[in-house]
């Protein structure tokens, strides 16, 4: 008989024959298990970059040939006489802004998902400010030249423009397009406070879209100026539509997300028609058909939806990333510096109007490349690191703390997905 050293009174045979202890069943948990598998980085949506450039070129067509005002001084006559047929279509180019807002809703939801407040703030500031500051300084200097016929703003107003708060303060704008940046900033603030700060997730984002849609309608009905400034009833549907399309991008069978997109489209076309349509008159520069306005808004939503569903993946080309990189600086400088280019090429050099318009677009794209190459590429990452203290996205900082499960929810940041360096608008 063999005795085990641990229990001298028991035989080895009895120990081997003893039943193994049964492990206790796991305690039930009230919360669902968390998926800790790292999320795969989604492929970059280069088609979104291409759509950005299309929207920017639409706005440029509007500024160069679809309206009156300062561009008339640049041409020396009304653009309607220079482009007797095309000017009617150029007038619809202002709807490129609404397409920008849909894209922005998509991108900001993607960028803010799983990010800390500090990381989100740093991403947005680093995205907007370097090229914007450079454009403000450049336009101010060019307009201060004696040979330029356009008047520069006062030094004090130019300095206020660097804050991006010139619009609410009633200060003269250096860049005409900066009113759209004011709308973007208000959207960022709403999204940051209501979604990013408490922690982005599908349920919270759906609630945000529903609450913003209802609050914007109530704000419009109330007629309170502050409510309209904060809630932006005329632009909110485009931002929420883009957010809904990002939820569709994550899950194409999400019926609630499709509902957000549908309601946003219905309200968006209403506000676009209410803002841009007017009865035809003999003294109007152009007449916009309400049906064409609805069609362009619908096309913008449909294009982003096609990208969200992967229907345009076969058009994915590396050069689209370059197009996306040029869009924001081009958008900033094309209007005011375009006036100078048009005046020089058409009135001083006698180049035909059509060729002048194409050359002006090409010159503004070249300037946009210079701003991207020599301002954004080095200043954007430097500013982002400075604002986050060198912390990686999602780490604890003095402005915000990573949310539980943030690493599991994280998707590749918007800057890496939609552009080569970091994008917006």
């Amino acid at each position: 008989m063999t005795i085990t050293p641990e229990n001298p009174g028991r035989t080895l045979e009895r120990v081997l024959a003893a039943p193994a202890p049964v492990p206790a069943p796991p305690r039930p948990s009230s919360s669902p298990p968390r998926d800790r598998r790292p999320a795969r980085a989604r492929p970059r949506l280069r088609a979104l970059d291409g759509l950005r450039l299309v929207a920017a070129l639409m706005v440029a067509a509007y500024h160069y040939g679809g309206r009156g005002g300062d561009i008339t001084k640049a041409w020396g006559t009304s653009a309607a006489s220079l482009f007797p047929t095309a000017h009617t279509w150029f007038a619809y180019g202002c709807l490129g802004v609404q397409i920008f807002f849909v894209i922005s809703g998509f991108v900001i939801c993607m960028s803010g998902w799983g990010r800390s407040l500090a990381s989100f703030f740093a991403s947005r500031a680093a995205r907007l400010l370097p090229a914007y500051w450079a454009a403000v300084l450049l336009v101010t200097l060019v307009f201060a030249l004696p040979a330029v016929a356009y008047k520069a703003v006062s030094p004090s107003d130019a300095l206020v423009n660097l804050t991006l708060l010139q619009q609410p303060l009633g200060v003269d704008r250096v860049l005409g397009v900066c009113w759209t940046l004011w709308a973007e900033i208000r959207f960022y603030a709403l999204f940051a406070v209501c979604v990013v700060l408490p922690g982005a997730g599908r349920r919270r984002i759906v609630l945000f879209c529903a609450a913003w849609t209802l609050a914007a309608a109530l704000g419009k009905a109330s007629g309170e100026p502050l409510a309209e400034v904060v809630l932006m009833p005329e632009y909110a549907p485009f931002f929420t539509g883009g957010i809904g399309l990002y939820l569709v991008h994550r899950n194409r069978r999400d019926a609630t997300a499709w509902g957000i997109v549908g309601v946003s489209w219905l309200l968006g076309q209403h506000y676009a028609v209410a803002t841009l349509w007017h009865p035809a008159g003999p003294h109007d520069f152009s007449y916009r058909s309400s049906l064409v306005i609805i069609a362009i808004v619908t096309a913008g939503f449909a294009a982003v939806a096609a990208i969200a569903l992967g229907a345009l993946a076969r058009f994915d080309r590396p050069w689209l990333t370059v197009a996306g990189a040029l869009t924001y600086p081009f958008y900033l400088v094309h209007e005011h510096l375009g006036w100078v280019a048009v005046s020089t090429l058409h009135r001083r050099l006698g180049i035909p109007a059509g060729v002048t318009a194409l050359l002006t677009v090409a010159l503004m794209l070249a300037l946009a490349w210079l701003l991207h190459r020599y301002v954004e590429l080095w200043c954007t990452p430097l500013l982002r690191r400075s604002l986050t203290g060198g912390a990686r996205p999602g780490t604890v900082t003095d402005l915000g703390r990573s949310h539980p499960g943030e690493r599991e929810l994280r998707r590749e940041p918007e800057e890496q997905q939609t552009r080569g360096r970091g994008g917006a608008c």
Side-chain angles (χ1 to χ4, degrees), residues 101-124:
F101 289 162
V102 177
I103 297 172
S104 182
F106 185 102
V107 168
I108 294 306
C109 188
M110 176 168 60
S111 176
W113 198 294
R115 265 189 168 161
S116 67
L117 183 61
S119 176
F120 180 77
F121 170 77
S123 170
R124 295 299 89 210

Side-chain angles (χ1 to χ4, degrees), residues 22 30 33 48 95 107 138 161 183 208 250 257 278 293 296 339 387:
V22 179
S30 58
L48 205 60
L95 285 163
V107 168
L138 181 60
N161 272 257
F208 169 74
R250 293 176 63 90
H278 57 77
I293 294 173
I296 294 175
W339 299 343
L387 292 174

Side-chain angles (χ1 to χ4, degrees), residues 232-382:
M232 302 181 291
E234 66 272 32
Y235 306 128
F238 300 100
F239 291 120
T240 57
I243 293 172
L245 287 169
Y246 178 66
L247 295 179
V248 169
H249 177 61
R250 293 176 63 90
N251 179 10
R252 64 177 60 202
R253 297 181 180 179
D254 189 338
T256 303
W258 282 113
I260 292 172
V261 174
V263 171
S264 299
W265 171 76
L266 291 170
L267 295 175
Q269 62 82 28
H270 161 72
Y271 283 115
V273 171
T275 303
L276 299 176
W277 181 85
H278 57 77
H283 302 294
D284 295 322
F285 179 88
S286 62
Y287 169 74
R288 300 184 185 95
S289 164
S290 61
L291 292 179
V292 177
I293 294 173
I294 295 171
I296 294 175
V297 170
T298 304
F301 273 82
V304 180
I307 295 169
L309 296 173
L312 300 181
R314 63 181 180 274
F315 298 109
D316 187 356
R317 296 293 184 271
W319 65 267
L320 289 175
T321 302
V322 179
L326 301 183
T327 298
Y328 179 55
F330 171 81
Y331 181 74
L332 292 175
V333 302
H334 81 273
E335 184 180 14
H336 283 56
L337 296 185
W339 299 343
V340 178
V342 166
S343 177
T344 301
L345 295 173
H346 183 66
R347 299 180 63 188
R348 296 185 182 180
L349 300 181
I351 298 176
V355 179
T356 293
L358 293 176
L359 287 176
T360 301
V361 170
L363 288 172
M364 294 303 106
L365 285 172
L367 178 58
W369 181 86
L370 292 174
L371 289 173
H372 173 67
R373 173 65 180 82
Y374 295 104
V375 176
E376 290 187 305
L377 281 182
W378 71 268
C379 191
T380 295
L382 178 64

Side-chain angles (χ1 to χ4, degrees), residues 86-104:
H87 84 279
T88 302
W89 295 104
F90 290 162
Y92 292 101
C94 58
L95 285 163
V97 171
Q98 280 76 4
I99 297 175
F100 268 133
F101 289 162
V102 177
I103 297 172
S104 182

Side-chain angles (χ1 to χ4, degrees), residues 143-233:
F143 275 26
L145 295 175
V148 175
Y150 298 95
K151 183 180 178 181
V153 303
S154 69
S156 175
D157 287 354
L159 292 174
V160 173
N161 272 257
L162 296 175
T163 68
L164 276 170
L165 295 177
Q166 63 273 23
Q167 189 85 5
L169 295 178
V171 171
D172 287 340
R173 295 175 291 169
V174 174
L175 306 177
V177 298
C178 68
W179 71 268
T180 63
L181 300 183
W182 172 232
E184 292 275 352
I185 290 172
R186 287 177 283 170
F187 167 49
Y188 297 166
L190 288 173
F191 193 82
V193 171
C194 298
V195 177
V196 176
L197 181 60
R202 179 190 172 277
R203 180 180 297 180
R204 182 168 285 113
I205 289 173
V206 168
L207 179 62
F208 169 74
C209 291
W212 190 12
T213 299
L214 179 59
L218 293 175
K220 184 70 174 178
S222 71
E224 289 292 335
L226 180 60
E228 294 198 26
V229 169
V230 174
L231 299 172
M232 302 181 291

